[in-house]
Amino acid sequence: MKLLRIGAKGAEKPAILAADGTVRDLSGIVSDIAGATLLPEGLAKIAGADINALPVLDAGQRIGPCVGQVGKFICIGLNYADHAAETGSPIPAEPIIFMKATSAIIGPNDDVIIPKNAIKPDWEVELGIVIGKEARYVEEKDALDHVAGYCLINDVSERHFQTERGGTWDKGKGADTFGPIGPWVVTKDEVADPQNLKMWLEVDGKRYQDGSTKTMIFGVATIVSYVSQFMSLQPGDIISTGTPPGVGMGIKPDPVWLKPGNVMRLGIEGLGEQTQNVRAYSA
């Protein structure tokens, strides 16, 4: 199933993309694509509905973040061997965990705002894991039982804040609008192999990232198991799993940074596409 949230900010309706391409209203079945809806029984309730009998929504409306009320937005750093190489970083011995502020979350096609005092804004196409069943001290062999589905994420970053302002990476990752997610949560039954998905990102029509989840250092099952050793994972939590090469900071000899007026387009095989206009901050 491809689940989404459609409508104005703060007033999104839960919806499903039907087989005929129409967007159907799930409001009569679930209250939101969030929390308990992403548990196995919540997804089963949707799967058991007569989708073609549901009201059709205007597909031209804004698409909101594909998951509502996200409790934790967890990220894995330097998780692609080829991306680690382009940054000159060693392969991590264990997954690098950092957090992205939930206030960064926006819809897949909402504007990305460059924050005040930014110097080096950058892009990162990433595979997102959407947690279903609660996970705590999960073994790797059981980890996928706790996954509801997957989504497309742009882990927008400010590299100066991230690496040159002291402290952790979080301050370069959590600005408002730095977390476009969606368009859909694609349930795991529709993703045959999350470790074999093509992914790409373009800025103003130029393709910078053209990779695959094949080059992940730590795969989805490993990540879910590993993170669950340090914190419990709740339904609707999101884990962003790292990016392939081609980010702005890795371009030699001169890095390329986002600027107002740029347009980012990105996609992952089977998980849809995003388009964001880049704007300057204004009070």
Side-chain angles (χ1 to χ4, degrees):
M1 297 183 291
K2 294 180 174 66
L3 306 175
L4 66 158
R5 301 169 71 247
I6 191 165
K9 184 177 180 180
E12 296 93 345
K13 289 185 175 182
I16 186 169
L17 183 67
D20 62 2
T22 58
V23 176
R24 302 284 177 151
D25 188 355
L26 288 174
S27 298
I29 299 172
V30 296
S31 60
D32 200 355
I33 307 301
T37 297
L38 295 162
L39 288 166
E41 51 268 35
L43 296 178
K45 186 176 181 181
I46 296 172
D50 182 359
I51 301 303
N52 293 326
L54 297 176
V56 176
L57 293 172
D58 177 7
Q61 294 183 77
R62 169 185 175 268
I63 299 176
C66 58
V67 180
Q69 306 169 49
V70 175
K72 292 190 288 295
F73 196 171
I74 304 158
C75 300
I76 308 298
L78 296 175
N79 192 35
Y80 282 67
D82 36 11
H83 173 56
E86 78 171 339
T87 65
S89 303
I91 299 296
E94 298 186 36
I96 296 169
I97 298 174
F98 63 94
M99 308 295 282
K100 203 170 178 80
T102 56
S103 53
I105 293 173
I106 57 171
N109 305 314
D110 291 343
D111 292 347
V112 166
I113 310 300
I114 296 176
K116 289 177 66 174
N117 305 313
I119 298 173
K120 300 177 179 180
D122 204 350
W123 58 82
E124 295 187 9
V125 59
E126 305 205 1
L127 172 68
I129 304 167
V130 180
I131 297 298
K133 188 169 63 173
E134 182 181 63
R136 183 183 288 108
Y137 301 116
V138 171
E139 294 186 33
E140 190 168 327
K141 66 181 179 62
D142 301 320
L144 295 185
D145 294 341
H146 298 264
V147 173
Y150 303 94
C151 67
L152 170 61
I153 295 174
N154 188 354
D155 176 19
V156 186
S157 310
E158 210 297 338
R159 305 301 188 185
H160 177 65
F161 295 175
Q162 179 185 353
T163 62
E164 300 170 45
R165 294 288 300 272
T168 66
W169 289 7
D170 300 52
K171 66 180 70 174
K173 298 286 191 169
D176 291 352
T177 76
F178 270 23
I181 62 171
W184 319 305
V185 176
V186 180
T187 51
K188 65 182 177 183
D189 59 294
E190 292 196 4
V191 181
D193 183 2
Q195 305 308 149
N196 187 23
L197 300 175
K198 295 177 182 177
M199 54 204 310
W200 55 272
L201 183 145
E202 299 174 350
V203 180
D204 294 343
K206 179 175 180 177
R207 184 156 296 196
Y208 286 95
Q209 293 190 273
D210 200 353
S212 169
T213 58
K214 282 182 177 180
T215 65
M216 273 190 190
I217 299 164
F218 306 105
V220 169
T222 300
I223 289 168
V224 172
S225 174
Y226 185 85
V227 174
S228 78
Q229 309 306 309
F230 301 95
M231 65 192 83
S232 63
L233 297 170
Q234 311 298 326
D237 284 351
I238 293 174
I239 306 175
S240 200
T241 58
T243 197
V247 298
M249 70 179 294
I251 296 170
K252 305 293 190 294
D254 299 311
V256 175
W257 309 116
L258 291 169
K259 59 183 183 297
N262 286 153
V263 178
M264 291 183 281
R265 289 186 63 245
L266 57 149
I268 296 180
E269 181 182 1
L271 303 186
E273 298 184 7
Q274 300 181 354
T275 301
Q276 294 112 28
N277 294 307
V278 180
R279 292 175 38 212
Y281 174 83
S282 60

